[in-house]
Amino acid sequence: METLKMIQSRKAIREYTGQLSDDQLQTIFDAGNAGAVGMGQFENYRIVAIQKESVLAQLNGIYGAPTVIVVAANAATTMEAVSAGIIVHNMALAAEDLGLGANYNMASLGSIPGDVLPAGFKPLIALTVGQTNETFTPRSLPADRIQKETLK
Ligand SMILES: Cc1cc2nc3c(=O)[nH]c(=O)nc-3n(C[C@H](O)[C@H](O)[C@H](O)COP(=O)(O)O)c2cc1C
C-alpha cells in the first residue's frame, strides 16, 4: 500500500478473529526495529510480544487480542515516551500493511506482570494485534480533528 494511503486508512481495531503467524510477527518486529529513538540509544529499549495465554489473561483492556506487543525502556522521560511512540507506530503501520488489526494500548501497562520485562525496564506503550475482518481504505476524517496553524 502506498504510504499516504496507508496513513489515511489506519484505524484502531478492537475486534480480533485469530492469531497472527510467526512470519507476520517478525515483519512487525522488523518495523519496530526500524524506528528512530532519541540519541540513537537503541540499547535502552525492548520490544516484547506477549502471546502466552496465562499472561494475556492478566492484562487489562486488551479486547481479547491474541498478541500484545509491549515497548519498554529503561527510563520514562519524554524522550523515551516519544521514541516508544515512534516504534509502536511503525509496528501499527506494518500490521495494517499485513491486513492485521491493531491498536495502541496504554490500558494494559499497569497490569503487565513484573517478570515479563527485563529488570529495570518500564512499559511505555503497547500494541494489541490480531487477525481482523476489517478492511483498510482511506477514511474521510474531519479536517480539523487536530487543530493546526502555520506561522509565516
Ligand atoms: C498513546 C495512545 C494510547 C492509547 N491507548 C489506548 C487504550 O489503552 N485502549 C484503547 O482502546 N485505545 C487506545 N488508544 C487508541 C485511541 O483511542 C485511538 O487511536 C483514537 O480513539 C483515534 O482512533 P483511530 O486510531 O481509529 O484514529 C491509544 C492511542 C494512543 C495514541
Side-chain angles (χ1 to χ4, degrees), residues 10-12 14 61 63 103-107 125 139 145:
R10 187 210 55 78
K11 56 188 173 185
R14 298 184 177 88
Y63 294 90
N103 191 21
Y104 315 98
N105 185 280
M106 290 191 78
I125 185 72
R139 299 190 287 177
R145 190 161 93 140

Side-chain angles (χ1 to χ4, degrees), residues 59-134:
L59 302 183
N60 294 329
I62 63 166
Y63 294 90
T67 296
V68 176
I69 306 175
V70 181
V71 182
N74 61 5
T77 72
T78 303
M79 189 175 74
E80 286 82 19
V82 171
S83 300
I86 288 169
I87 293 168
V88 81
H89 189 53
N90 262 17
M91 295 196 293
L93 291 179
E96 178 189 337
D97 194 63
L98 293 167
L100 297 168
N103 191 21
Y104 315 98
N105 185 280
M106 290 191 78
S108 66
L109 300 184
S111 59
I112 297 170
D115 58 350
V116 166
L117 300 174
F121 279 78
K122 303 162 192 27
L124 296 174
I125 185 72
L127 189 74
T128 53
V129 56
Q131 302 289 341
T132 183
N133 290 328
E134 289 274 348

